[in-house]
Amino acid sequence: MWMIFFLLLPLLGIAYIGWHVWTLVPLSPWFRAGLIGFGLLSFLLLFLNLGRVIDHLPLSLARVCYDVGDSSIIVLLYLVLIFLVLDLGRLLHLIPASWLHQNFYTTIVITLGMFVMFMAGNLIYHHKKRVELHLNTTKPLRKPLKLVMMSDLHLGYHNPRTELHRWVDMINAEQPDYVLIAGDIIDMSMRPLIEENMAEEFRRIKAPVYACLGNHEFYAGVPDAQQFYLDAGIHLLVDEAVVVDSSFVVVGRDDRTNLHRMPINELVTNTELYTIVLDHQPYHLDRAEAAGVDFQLSGHTHRGQVWPISWITDRIYECSWGSYQRGNTQYYVSSGIGIWGGKFRIGTQSEYVVATLM
């Protein structure tokens, strides 16, 4: 049912945009038909990406298909919003109907507006905001600790090794004691990670790395993901708790994609030490509080990636982004250092967290 809805709604959007392009653009019918055809083809590439068909293409061509296909859904969203506003203005007699019929100036304004917005969105995506967090505790620690925390790297066709190299440099520049990653290190396919030997890049991190699984590791294949983490020197915790440096406990939950994962209260057994939970999807935050967790790091939401989807995620989740408190339990839901799909941040931000535990 959801797949039918996911397919039908964008196709209606494409039909709506196609009709407006046909009536608005003051160029030849062949040119307008070409524009509409390119838009439809770009959207169909999205399904080739989701179906992993691009795994059989040369790596450079697969990257182009991924970027074009997965960006198309965001372009579609904003064109629908623009034409809805224009149609509403026409119906309310706030703008003349001539603005939407064979109008060169309207065409130029929309084209330039979209270009500027998406260029800015791409620049914002590449700027990774550094978020500072202070975690205070009365529980015993051997020393104050510096933790770099992040989620949703989504390494793959659109976030290649060159991006990961830059992120590893950012991590090392912080000189952390430990690095914590709350899932979705992998985007969809293992192929680009293996061909570019991204595991080697992770081994440059000058601190122990602990991580949990995300839903995208299930899309890529959990056994292959686990082997990648082993090669990368990442301590993957799947429904497992470990005591780190006799100072604190890290609990890594299996992703909720696994309906049979262990309940959190069975994983949190040592509340004498400061307890950090890595749980990719921020659902049922009350259960972490009831289990006596001190801090939970999650991701997954991306805060919608772009506005106005961020309004939807803000209503779906108890906390869709940022710091949150429930009783004695602190939470941070990261919008992700990486992203799924088109590399645009509009009304949201890419980030990593630098936390001081003392």
Side-chain angles (χ1 to χ4, degrees), residues 328-339:
N328 294 322
T329 304
Q330 291 178 264
Y331 304 81
Y332 194 87
V333 180
S334 174
S335 58
I337 192 169
I339 211 165

Side-chain angles (χ1 to χ4, degrees), residues 264 279 281-291 293 296 298 317-320 324-326 329-333:
I264 191 168
D279 191 358
Q281 301 189 46
Y283 289 96
H284 306 299
L285 302 185
D286 57 313
R287 297 179 185 176
E289 178 194 4
V293 171
Q296 177 174 310
S298 296
Y317 298 95
E318 182 177 348
C319 174
S320 73
Y324 188 66
Q325 184 91 24
R326 243 184 172 277
T329 304
Q330 291 178 264
Y331 304 81
Y332 194 87
V333 180

Side-chain angles (χ1 to χ4, degrees), residues 246-280:
S246 303
S247 292
F248 66 103
V249 178
V250 178
V251 177
R253 300 200 70 191
D254 198 353
D255 187 67
R256 74 191 299 265
T257 304
N258 177 7
L259 300 179
H260 303 291
R261 67 174 181 169
M262 289 179 63
I264 191 168
N265 63 314
E266 293 183 16
L267 291 168
V268 179
T269 58
N270 182 359
T271 56
E272 297 297 318
L273 295 178
Y274 191 87
T275 302
I276 297 175
V277 168
L278 306 179
D279 191 358
H280 179 63

